[in-house]
Amino acid sequence: QKEVEQNSGPLSVPEGAIASLNCTYSDRGSQSFFWYRQYSGKSPELIMFIYSNGDKEDGRFTAQLNKASQYVSLLIRDSQPSDSATYLCAVAQSGGSYIPTFGRGTSLIVHP
Amino acid sequence: EPEVTQTPSHQVTQMGQEVILRCVPISNHLYFYWYRQILGQKVEFLVSFYNNEISEKSEIFDDQFSVERPDGSNFTLKIRSTKLEDSAMYFCASSPSGADSYEQYFGPGTRLTVT
């Protein structure tokens, strides 16, 4: 059973701070890693994807991947109240299947 | 910016009835997916579709479910005889390619309520 684990939170940070969201996965052969943002009652919105070890930056978001530790994280700089949402980590299975397994998500609250 | 669309946004049906959920994927995408999310739970994969056939399906996708691409734009999920436990948000997603680009873009979802 391929597992993707996230702390359910809530993670509460003040406006302007860095929010750090973490995810671990069980399948060592995983190839593709995604972060989705999901507002309550809405669909997942893709915000970052990363395929190689290291960091990938896009605006205020940085995804970090460490395949040796089976760990992927998302940093949100200069957090805004509008960033308050649940962040889903998704990891694509290996062996030719690109279907991602989703974690339960971490609830982020950015307070003014 | 192109986006995945889904209709209806909310469907209420009685147990045992058939429902069809509709999706229009992003036009140049090649891979299509259905997911469901029961309230408060994880997003769960149901089925993927490529080149007019199912490429993968989960154990949730049993004989009660079917998918179809009836024309060049629509992608449908049919549930033949709904059960109470089918109540969930159903999301359609599409991806440009399964080979080089694995990112999936989700539609707004259909909330299915089975009474």
Side-chain angles (χ1 to χ4, degrees), chain B residues 50-61:
Chain B
Y50 170 71
N51 201 24
N52 284 321
E53 60 183 24
I54 291 173
S55 48
E56 286 191 61
K57 59 183 180 178
S58 71
E59 58 268 19
I60 301 169
F61 193 86

Side-chain angles (χ1 to χ4, degrees), chain A residues 15-80:
Chain A
E15 184 174 355
I18 296 175
S20 177
L21 304 156
N22 304 314
C23 171
T24 59
Y25 57 94
S26 64
D27 181 7
R28 188 168 284 280
S30 296
Q31 303 289 333
S32 311
F33 307 86
F34 308 91
W35 283 99
Y36 286 85
R37 177 174 62 199
Q38 187 175 32
Y39 293 111
S40 181
K42 302 295 185 184
S43 63
E45 175 192 1
L46 181 66
I47 54 172
M48 287 290 287
F49 56 90
I50 185 167
Y51 303 144
S52 305
N53 270 332
D55 294 2
K56 179 182 178 183
E57 187 174 315
D58 184 2
R60 296 187 296 113
F61 300 102
T62 299
Q64 299 176 315
L65 175 61
N66 184 326
K67 288 186 179 180
S69 301
Q70 295 175 241
Y71 177 92
V72 58
S73 64
L74 178 71
L75 301 178
I76 306 174
R77 287 181 299 282
D78 189 24
S79 296
Q80 302 296 310

Side-chain angles (χ1 to χ4, degrees), chain B residues 1-84:
Chain B
E1 188 171 322
E3 55 185 24
V4 177
T5 60
Q6 289 185 245
T7 54
S9 57
H10 191 188
Q11 174 89 48
V12 181
T13 189
Q14 289 190 328
M15 198 166 51
Q17 295 297 303
E18 174 184 287
V19 294
I20 297 176
L21 310 182
R22 293 184 167 78
C23 167
V24 178
I26 295 172
S27 63
N28 62 345
H29 285 191
L30 302 178
Y31 289 79
F32 315 119
Y33 311 85
W34 283 102
Y35 292 85
R36 79 172 185 192
Q37 187 176 32
I38 294 170
L39 187 63
Q41 298 191 24
K42 284 196 259 192
V43 174
E44 299 175 290
F45 167 72
L46 294 177
V47 65
S48 62
F49 194 86
Y50 170 71
N51 201 24
N52 284 321
E53 60 183 24
I54 291 173
S55 48
E56 286 191 61
K57 59 183 180 178
S58 71
E59 58 268 19
I60 301 169
F61 193 86
D62 61 21
D63 292 343
Q64 293 297 313
F65 292 89
S66 62
V67 289
E68 199 176 41
R69 188 154 163 83
D71 54 43
S73 58
N74 289 285
F75 179 50
T76 63
L77 174 70
K78 182 192 290 186
I79 310 175
R80 264 180 266 283
S81 178
T82 50
K83 308 184 193 69
L84 293 176

